[in-house]
């Protein structure tokens, strides 16, 4: 068995190369979610401009876990729209002086989250609370003391004495625990789109299974090559294999149906839906995504010499592309460098195209980039796959 394993390159690849590679991918992703490598994009509006709010913004800007986008002006609606359009993972609205008394109004900080990125808000919430505790303890404690004073346990003079003591303590770099000063709210969902997070998950699932289904169908290239059918179908020779285009048409149609079934399941079971006016953009995305994934699958199979080799290499490739491209882990949880690296995979562009296709506010100008990339993937992969297939038949 040892000799058999050593002689089987496919078995060696699947047993000893793929596992550590996938481990490295997931380690790069998840090690960043708990440290400074995550760098969530946080949109901030300071609508107060007080000494306390300015101190808070400066302290947060110094946080290595965030990438701050400070908006000069705007209100909750503007920040919500900023988050909805994907310009930030979460929004932070400073709507009151952080040092004001708790009984003087609602929590001064408002965290605006998108249901499509639920973990982002929880991570940002914890980081903002930690920053307040460590960097602005005097502001946090002044709110606690205001509560104590309101209960009658201490007087105004005693509160002032404690405030001064805590300011001195804060100047020495000490930190404290404190009461919650942050409220959370979800961005107002467009009534024409429901359960947007499930629609995003549907796009991620479609991306990986379009590749798997495409590979399964593309393996017939190798079967036909092995039994001589390919040569009979390609009578007349030439530099390109004409059967590749025919297979692409079938696989693209199959993939379009597959994507439709996934989204229909999301609608029928979970109530996830989008504006009927977006059906055209969504259906076009289904066709382009299916065509690009199928063409890439044909390319991977055409490059292989045998069905056994193709089964191993395509499984290896699809799993790796899916892990890097965001089909297994949401891309907003990845470190910035890993997110950028993910754009080299078809999965990232398919997911991005589906996200934009169902968003009511997304226009054709925004969809043109992912659509263009998918068209390029399909065209290049089809031409190269046809050339490789014809070249393999000549041997």
């Amino acid at each position: 068995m040892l000799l058999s394993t050593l002689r089987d390159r496919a078995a060696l690849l699947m047993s000893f190369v793929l596992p550590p590679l996938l481990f490295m991918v997931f380690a790069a992703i998840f090690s960043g979610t708990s440290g400074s490598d995550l760098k969530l994009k946080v949109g901030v509006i300071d609508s107060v401009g007080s000494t306390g709010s300015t101190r808070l913004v400066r302290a947060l800007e110094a946080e290595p876990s965030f990438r701050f986008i400070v908006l000069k002006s705007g209100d909750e609606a503007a920040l919500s729209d900023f988050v909805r359009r994907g310009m930030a993972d979460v929004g932070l609205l400073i709507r009151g002086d952080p040092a004001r008394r708790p009984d003087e109004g609602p929590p001064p900080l408002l965290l605006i989250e998108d249901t499509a990125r639920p973990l982002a808000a929880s991570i940002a919430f914890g980081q903002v609370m930690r920053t307040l505790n460590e960097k602005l303890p005097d502001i946090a404690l002044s709110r606690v003391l205001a509560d104590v004073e309101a209960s009658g346990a201490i007087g105004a003079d005693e509160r002032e004495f404690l405030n001064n003591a805590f300011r001195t303590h804060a100047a020495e770099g000490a930190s404290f625990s404190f009461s919650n000063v942050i409220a959370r709210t979800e961005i107002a969902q467009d009534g024409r789109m429901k359960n947007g997070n499930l629609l995003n998950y549907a796009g991620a699932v479609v991306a990986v299974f379009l590749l798997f289904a495409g590979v399964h169908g593309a393996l017939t290239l190798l079967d036909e090559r092995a039994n001589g059918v390919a040569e009979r179908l390609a009578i007349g020779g030439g530099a390109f294999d004409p059967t590749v285009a025919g297979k692409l048409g079938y696989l693209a149609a199959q993939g379009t149906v597959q994507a439709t079934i996934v989204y229909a399941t999301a609608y029928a079971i979970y109530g996830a839906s989008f504006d009927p006016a977006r059906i055209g953009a969504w259906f076009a995305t289904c066709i382009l995504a299916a065509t690009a994934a199928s063409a890439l699958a044909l390319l991977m199979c055409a490059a292989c010499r045998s069905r056994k080799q193709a089964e191993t290499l395509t499984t290896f490739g699809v799993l790796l592309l899916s892990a890097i491209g965001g089909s297994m882990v949401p891309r907003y949880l990845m470190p910035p460098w890993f997110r950028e690296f993910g754009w080299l995979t078809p999965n990232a562009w398919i997911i991005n195209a589906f996200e934009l296709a169902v968003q009511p506010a997304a226009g054709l100008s925004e969809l043109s980039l992912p659509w263009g990339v998918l068209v390029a993937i399909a065209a290049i992969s089809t031409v190269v796959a046809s050339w490789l297939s014809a070249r393999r038949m000549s041997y």
Side-chain angles (χ1 to χ4, degrees):
M1 289 185 68
L2 176 61
L3 288 176
S4 176
T5 301
L6 292 175
R7 290 168 181 166
D8 190 340
R9 294 181 181 178
L12 289 173
L13 190 68
M14 293 295 291
S15 300
F16 303 112
V17 178
L18 181 59
L21 271 179
L22 286 179
F23 166 75
M24 290 170 63
V25 170
F26 287 113
I29 295 171
F30 291 113
S31 63
T33 60
S34 58
S36 60
D37 290 336
L38 180 57
K39 296 191 181 298
L40 288 174
K41 290 189 293 183
V42 181
V44 181
I45 292 179
D46 181 4
S47 61
V48 181
S50 66
T51 301
S53 65
T54 302
R55 287 179 59 200
L56 176 59
V57 171
R58 289 175 180 171
L60 290 172
E61 285 181 321
E63 269 292 328
S65 302
F66 291 130
R67 285 181 292 164
F68 269 93
I69 305 172
V70 180
L71 306 181
K72 299 301 182 181
S73 61
D75 54 10
E76 181 180 343
L79 190 55
S80 295
D81 183 64
F82 193 71
V83 174
R84 183 186 294 108
R85 289 186 288 113
M87 304 302 292
D89 298 314
V90 66
L92 179 65
L93 175 66
I94 305 177
R95 58 184 179 181
D97 191 334
R100 75 184 182 189
R101 295 169 58 99
D103 58 0
E104 292 178 345
L109 308 182
L110 181 65
L111 203 63
I112 300 174
E113 57 185 296
D114 186 350
T115 55
R117 295 181 286 274
L119 293 178
S122 298
I123 295 171
F125 183 90
Q127 292 285 13
V128 172
M129 294 288 284
R130 183 175 63 82
T131 300
L132 278 168
N133 180 33
E134 294 180 354
K135 307 300 183 182
L136 290 85
D138 54 316
I139 289 179
L141 284 163
S142 68
R143 294 175 57 83
V144 177
L145 289 176
D147 282 336
V148 175
E149 181 187 1
S151 69
I154 62 173
D157 293 340
E158 292 169 306
R159 180 192 171 189
E160 183 61 28
F161 171 79
L162 291 173
N163 273 336
N164 290 332
F166 287 135
R167 289 192 189 98
T168 302
H169 198 55
E172 296 172 355
S175 61
F176 306 89
S177 297
F178 55 91
S179 61
N180 186 10
V181 296
I182 307 175
R184 293 174 62 168
T185 185
E186 296 179 356
I187 60 175
Q189 293 293 320
D190 191 303
R192 297 167 293 178
M193 185 171 74
K194 298 179 181 178
N195 294 330
N197 58 324
L198 294 180
L199 292 175
N200 289 344
Y201 298 151
V205 169
V206 166
V208 61
F209 282 101
L210 282 178
L211 287 170
F212 272 124
V215 163
H216 182 73
L219 287 172
T220 58
L221 271 178
L222 299 165
D223 295 335
E224 293 170 358
R225 187 191 303 167
N227 58 31
V229 173
E231 285 84 351
R232 292 194 294 272
L233 291 174
I235 293 175
F240 298 96
D241 180 0
T243 65
V244 170
K247 292 182 183 300
L248 176 62
Y250 171 79
L251 292 174
Q254 173 186 277
T256 302
V257 174
Q258 182 184 40
T260 302
I261 291 173
V262 172
Y263 275 87
T265 302
Y267 171 74
I269 299 179
Y270 299 101
S273 62
F274 53 89
D275 184 2
R278 305 293 298 180
I279 288 180
W282 169 80
F283 191 68
T285 300
C286 288
I287 295 174
L288 291 174
T291 304
S294 300
L296 189 60
L298 286 165
L299 172 58
M300 288 190 286
C301 289
C304 296
R305 295 182 179 277
S306 67
R307 182 184 181 95
K308 184 177 181 180
Q309 183 187 50
E311 288 175 342
T312 301
L313 291 178
T314 53
T315 300
F316 181 96
V318 171
L319 287 175
L320 203 57
L321 290 174
S322 300
I324 296 173
S327 288
M328 298 182 180
V329 179
R331 296 185 69 246
Y332 71 86
L333 290 178
M334 299 177 179
W337 68 270
F338 207 96
R339 293 180 217 177
E340 295 302 317
F341 187 63
W343 290 120
L344 297 176
T345 69
N347 300 66
W349 292 105
I350 291 174
I351 293 170
N352 180 242
F354 274 117
E355 287 179 353
L356 293 173
V358 300
Q359 286 183 8
L364 289 178
S365 59
E366 294 174 271
L367 276 164
S368 60
L369 177 59
W371 280 359
V373 172
L374 293 178
V375 169
I377 291 174
I380 294 172
S381 297
T382 300
V383 171
V384 177
S386 182
W387 175 77
L388 279 174
S389 182
R391 187 167 181 269
R392 294 294 189 201
M393 285 190 290
S394 65
Y395 285 103

